[in-house]
Amino acid sequence: NAGVTQTPKFRILKIGQSMTLQCTQDMNHNYMYWYRQDPGMGLKLIYYSVGAGITDKGEVPNGYNVSRSTTEDFPLRLELAAPSQTSVYFCASSYNRAPYNEQFFGPGTRLTVL
Amino acid sequence: GEDVEQSLFLSVREGDSSVINCTYTDSSSTYLYWYKQEPGAGLQLLTYIFSNMDMKQDQRLTVLLNKKDKHLSLRIADTQTGDSAIYFCAESIKGGGATNKLIFGTGTLLAVQP
């Protein structure tokens, strides 16, 4: 079982470039999430999905887009990269049996925008 | 608003006990979690506590919950150098519909001195 995998591990972008962060899980989890982690700020939820074809905004969605065409994949798209998007991005998944919600995290993508 | 607070840094000597504290805001949180993040890795669930419990013990870990003060703590007995990591507390809050989401604290960096 690979769990949650993310690619790439590291990326440097120029201002205005676009890219897609990939996330795949093999646990058949219905819920998937994207977070960003900034030093001293904890994790902030960007977008989440409760199942294929259904996505919703989190706390900090501006500048990002997502799609969920399959249960396994949940890519995060940055259209016009800005320095404020320099961060570490984590994808997570869970089989959400509310109120219990154990989330499994990928190893992260470190993104720098210059 | 939704805010989970932790102190940023804790330093202990190997063999001592570590106590990491957290205050949360939502009195209706049903589960509270502790996650561990090792350097360069994603978060992993360490332990959790259900809101109707005051204490939960799991080997070297003891979780204490004070619902009146909305205070959660994680005690690590006989702290080892391998416990050096960032520790996040998280509370579950109701999202839209039947979903719930996690609100993470800022994280506490635990440094264990040999």
Side-chain angles (χ1 to χ4, degrees):
Chain A
N1 251 357
V4 180
T5 56
Q6 293 182 238
T7 56
K9 284 189 167 38
F10 304 95
R11 184 73 186 267
I12 298 174
L13 283 183
K14 292 184 179 175
I15 294 171
Q17 285 186 318
S18 62
M19 78 165 292
T20 300
L21 283 67
Q22 302 291 345
C23 175
T24 301
Q25 53 93 8
D26 63 359
M27 296 174 280
N28 202 31
H29 285 163
N30 52 346
Y31 281 63
M32 295 187 76
Y33 312 82
W34 274 106
Y35 293 91
R36 58 178 287 171
Q37 182 183 25
D38 300 308
M41 300 290 288
L43 276 76
K44 298 294 183 188
L45 182 64
I46 305 171
Y47 271 97
Y48 67 101
S49 168
V50 303
I54 308 169
T55 63
D56 208 348
K57 294 177 181 178
E59 300 168 80
V60 290
N62 291 345
Y64 307 94
N65 276 303
V66 293
S67 59
R68 183 106 180 264
S69 56
T70 66
T71 300
E72 295 78 20
D73 300 305
F74 190 40
L76 177 73
R77 179 98 181 140
L78 282 72
E79 289 294 350
L80 288 169
S84 60
Q85 294 177 304
T86 294
S87 189
V88 182
Y89 291 85
F90 288 100
C91 178
S93 71
S94 69
Y95 193 74
N96 195 323
R97 296 184 181 93
Y100 184 68
N101 183 5
E102 177 183 355
Q103 296 184 12
F104 294 80
F105 283 79
T109 294
R110 185 176 293 274
L111 176 68
T112 302
V113 182
L114 300 173
Chain B
E2 302 156 355
D3 216 4
V4 180
E5 295 188 353
Q6 301 177 237
S7 54
L8 288 181
F9 183 73
L10 175 66
S11 178
V12 300
R13 290 198 176 278
E14 194 172 18
D16 287 350
S17 292
S18 309
V19 180
I20 302 171
N21 294 303
C22 169
T23 55
Y24 61 97
T25 56
D26 192 334
S27 56
S28 66
S29 289
T30 47
Y31 283 92
L32 295 130
Y33 306 83
W34 283 104
Y35 279 81
K36 178 182 181 183
Q37 183 184 29
E38 296 187 352
L43 281 69
Q44 280 192 301
L45 182 67
L46 200 56
T47 187
Y48 66 90
I49 188 166
F50 188 52
S51 59
N52 69 352
M53 299 168 68
D54 298 324
M55 184 180 89
K56 179 179 178 182
Q57 188 138 8
D58 184 1
Q59 299 182 324
R60 292 190 297 121
L61 306 178
T62 303
V63 180
L64 294 177
L65 175 61
N66 180 330
K67 284 194 73 175
K68 177 175 161 289
D69 295 335
K70 295 187 205 140
H71 184 264
L72 182 72
S73 67
L74 173 70
R75 179 177 180 269
I76 306 173
D78 187 24
T79 313
Q80 304 297 307
T81 53
D83 295 324
S84 294
I86 302 176
Y87 291 80
F88 291 91
C89 67
E91 61 172 340
S92 62
I93 65 168
K94 266 190 165 293
T99 68
N100 67 10
K101 55 182 182 174
L102 297 186
I103 303 297
F104 286 88
T106 49
T108 299
L109 174 62
L110 174 64
V112 182
Q113 312 299 325

